[in-house]
Amino acid sequence: MFFWRKQKPSYEKAMDWFKQHMVPDQGIIVHTKTPVPYPEVTGYFIPTLYNWGEQELARTCTRWLLSIQLPNGAFPAPDGVPYTFDTGQIMRGLCAALNDMNDIEAPLRNACDWVVAQIDTEGRLTTPSTELWTGIANDLIHTYVLPPLAQAGKLLGVKEYEDAANFVLSYYKKQEALVPFNRLSHFHAYTMEALCELGELELASRGMADVERCQRDDGSIPAYPDVDWVCSTGMAQYAIVWYTLGKKQPADLAMRYLEKIQNKSGGFYGSYGKGAKYIAGAEISWAVKYFLDAHLLKMQGEGKHA
């Protein structure tokens, strides 16, 4: 007699991956080849954990982040250096935890004040270092810092933070390279998601039209417009943006492809395919975060709940 074990849904496997790769009492690892806790990804994983009903995990991550905040309000990357992008993503986590935990307001204010101090006179968001993303990203990813800055302004009643986010957004909207799909999908998708969060749906739609033209029949999206390989995180982020824009068909196609390439562990390599160049040999934590976010939107669109 054979007993068939029901296979876990892809989202359960993804959450299992998170739980298995979280450093106890700290945060989620960078990836399976660098299993040290990653403040940035831990920060933007916190809203995901709350959305999936994992409050205790969210609180544990938040407590650890508060313990490593620098005196100037910034948060360090794994190399010990504060990055504006990383601090912004931890602000996402603090915003999510604000109404659930005590003693969040002052650290959040300090982080916001530090980020505001990185804005130059033109509105460009600067950063003390670019060492960890030199060669694969540029400061357009800083658009993804603006939604948590604006959100913190609303939650804390500090109009200066909302005004600062709008000032920086005005600067980046003037950059011709902002919208076109002309860089690694993961980093392009940061901007597309940020534009949606900031209510700039027309701009996001323009960028996503570029992406949709590149999507293949099997749902895959090239990591760059002119390569064959795919970036798992970029695909999950694009699914999020499409669901947000009401474009269910390309989003569902992307999700089906992601479920096909999901590793047995529940995780994802950074990239897949011939010539893959973005952390292809390790399972990365941020792909799991965005896959869970996209899956939740998919379920909500189908009238289901986590």
Side-chain angles (χ1 to χ4, degrees):
M1 184 179 293
F2 295 95
F3 294 93
W4 295 98
R5 181 180 296 176
K6 186 179 179 182
Q7 190 174 14
K8 279 188 175 184
S10 58
Y11 58 86
E12 281 190 22
K13 291 191 290 185
M15 186 60 77
D16 286 346
W17 189 94
F18 175 89
K19 292 174 181 177
Q20 291 160 10
H21 293 87
M22 181 176 165
V23 179
D25 298 320
Q26 296 185 47
I28 191 64
I29 64 168
V30 179
H31 52 64
T32 48
K33 289 189 176 179
T34 306
V36 298
Y38 197 174
E40 172 211 317
V41 177
T42 299
Y44 65 33
F45 229 118
I46 290 169
T48 304
L49 294 171
Y50 276 118
N51 288 338
W52 280 94
E54 297 286 352
Q55 287 91 342
E56 284 306 318
L57 283 176
R59 292 165 188 154
T60 298
C61 289
T62 303
R63 283 191 288 268
W64 173 65
L65 290 170
L66 294 178
S67 77
I68 64 168
Q69 187 172 25
L70 300 174
N72 63 7
F75 289 85
D79 62 359
V81 177
Y83 284 68
T84 304
F85 184 85
D86 297 45
T87 297
Q89 304 326 307
I90 292 162
M91 285 159 48
R92 288 178 180 267
L94 298 184
C95 284
L98 185 63
N99 291 324
D100 180 55
M101 298 178 66
N102 297 322
D103 302 321
I104 302 293
E105 182 173 334
L108 178 56
R109 282 178 180 268
N110 292 339
C112 290
D113 289 341
W114 184 84
V115 166
V116 169
Q118 309 312 306
I119 302 170
D120 72 13
T121 55
E122 293 184 338
R124 179 171 175 262
L125 196 48
T126 66
T127 187
S129 174
T130 60
E131 184 68 27
L132 289 179
W133 39 273
T134 297
I136 58 169
N138 57 41
D139 75 315
L140 296 178
I141 65 173
H142 282 149
T143 52
Y144 203 58
V145 176
L146 306 184
L149 181 60
Q151 182 187 14
K154 287 185 175 70
L155 292 172
L156 299 173
V158 181
K159 190 172 182 293
E160 178 194 357
Y161 301 153
E162 294 182 75
D163 291 344
N166 288 327
F167 178 52
V168 177
L169 177 61
S170 295
Y171 167 82
Y172 283 110
K173 284 172 66 176
K174 297 172 188 171
Q175 310 309 307
E176 290 184 5
L178 181 70
V179 172
F181 178 23
N182 55 10
R183 50 203 185 272
L184 180 69
S185 60
H186 170 40
F187 298 121
H188 178 251
Y190 272 143
T191 295
M192 297 301 101
E193 193 176 352
L195 289 173
C196 285
E197 291 178 299
L198 294 165
E200 298 285 346
L201 301 184
E202 191 275 330
L203 277 179
S205 295
R206 278 170 41 197
M208 293 306 293
D210 273 4
V211 177
E212 193 165 354
R213 283 190 287 270
C214 292
Q215 188 175 32
R216 304 174 184 122
D217 291 342
D218 63 359
S220 64
I221 302 160
Y224 295 89
D226 59 349
V227 302
D228 292 329
W229 55 279
V230 304
C231 169
S232 56
T233 311
M235 286 198 56
Q237 291 171 281
Y238 284 148
I240 291 167
V241 177
W242 274 323
Y243 284 130
T244 302
L245 294 173
K247 302 273 288 185
K248 186 176 186 299
Q249 184 177 7
D252 284 349
L253 271 174
M255 291 300 289
R256 279 200 290 274
Y257 186 83
L258 283 168
E259 289 184 324
K260 186 171 73 174
I261 64 172
Q262 185 179 26
N263 299 339
K264 289 182 179 179
S265 65
F268 295 87
Y269 295 131
S271 53
Y272 294 79
K274 187 177 181 180
K277 292 180 180 176
Y278 183 68
I279 320 178
E283 292 184 332
I284 60 173
S285 52
W286 49 104
V288 171
K289 178 263 189 312
Y290 288 105
F291 179 75
L292 285 167
D293 287 350
H295 217 296
L296 189 61
L297 289 175
K298 183 176 188 292
M299 292 169 69
Q300 289 171 345
E302 295 168 351
K304 301 174 184 176
H305 301 281

